[in-house]
Amino acid sequence: MNFPVLEIFGPTVQGEGMVIGRKTCFVRFAACDYQCVWCDSKFTWDGSVKPTLMNSEEILAALIALQQDHLQHNRVDHITISGGNPALFKGLDQLVNLLHQAGFKVAIETQGSHWNEALLEIDEVTLSPKPPSSEMITNFPLLTEIIQQLRGRNISLKVVIFNDEDLRYAEEIYQLYPDIPLYLQVGNDQLEDEDETATAYYLLQKYRQLVDQVMQSTTLKNVRVLPQLHALLWGNRRGV
């Protein structure tokens, strides 16, 4: 099985969700069944970057070459599969099993719009349904079915917040799935800004505002409120 790979990079820190701050390497696939208006990875689906077709063995070889030092000692034990929507691809379980055999733990983020048997094999699954500001529509029956199939696994929900309507959506998610850990994250709507300091300052102000709102909420109680860590560190740079 060949996968459309846009980039393989790291070691770096995971900037989002349940594994925020985790030392990891990334494998980013092309293709997505959504087209969120504020997507920070539009290059995965808008055709602006051509992917390289790679099979599981080639991806593993690239990861090993990327993360070993000059003495061929491994520097990471964790891989994040990203996109786009990486849950779209058949044969993903083969890649996950190969990574496990090589000693890696595996994380993935998907919006919960497509079931993939490989999700049962992945160590950390983040389901990130998209709020109203994305202009996408959540298929709640399907999201519920996916969550039910993943019961007992290490899963979480993550909602990106851009405005008050998104916050109300997050409250709905919290009430529908109260026993699933929920992470709220500030959305970045300054994707064209090349000034990393200005981007960090802007996002910190948005983060403070979101924290204040969540503190006032009588619904959102057992939640975690996060910044976009990688955006605070590197702004809108790719491959970091």
Side-chain angles (χ1 to χ4, degrees), residues 17-138:
M18 66 190 294
V19 287
I20 190 169
R22 180 69 155 96
K23 185 179 181 181
T24 191
C25 283
F26 278 84
V27 179
R28 187 184 298 279
F29 292 158
C32 192
D33 49 330
Y34 278 15
Q35 295 184 358
C36 300
V37 297
W38 39 249
C39 178
D40 61 1
S41 303
K42 286 185 179 180
F43 65 95
T44 63
W45 50 262
D46 66 4
S48 61
V49 180
K50 184 177 180 180
T52 300
L53 293 179
M54 302 176 68
N55 62 34
S56 297
E57 289 76 15
E58 290 169 331
I59 292 172
L60 175 60
L63 286 165
I64 289 174
L66 180 70
Q67 61 91 28
Q68 284 185 336
D69 66 12
H70 65 286
L71 297 176
Q72 296 189 330
H73 296 148
N74 295 336
R75 292 184 290 170
V76 301
D77 62 357
H78 190 271
I79 305 299
T80 299
I81 302 174
S82 185
N85 183 2
L88 294 176
F89 297 100
K90 295 180 180 179
L92 186 61
D93 55 336
Q94 298 172 14
L95 173 60
V96 172
N97 289 334
L98 192 64
L99 293 172
H100 282 158
Q101 291 169 21
F104 295 108
K105 288 189 175 181
V106 182
I108 196 170
E109 180 174 322
T110 174
Q111 56 263 44
S113 60
H114 189 85
W115 172 251
N116 192 310
E117 291 291 330
L119 297 176
L120 294 169
E121 307 297 328
I122 293 173
D123 301 290
E124 296 148 337
V125 176
T126 296
L127 300 172
S128 183
K130 304 310 178 188
S133 63
S134 71
E135 299 185 9
M136 299 292 106
I137 304 299
T138 301

Side-chain angles (χ1 to χ4, degrees), residues 154-173:
N154 188 12
I155 68 170
S156 68
L157 288 157
K158 188 193 79 175
V159 178
V160 179
I161 307 295
F162 284 86
N163 55 38
D164 291 345
E165 189 177 12
D166 290 352
L167 195 61
R168 290 192 292 272
Y169 173 88
E171 292 179 338
E172 181 181 3
I173 291 289

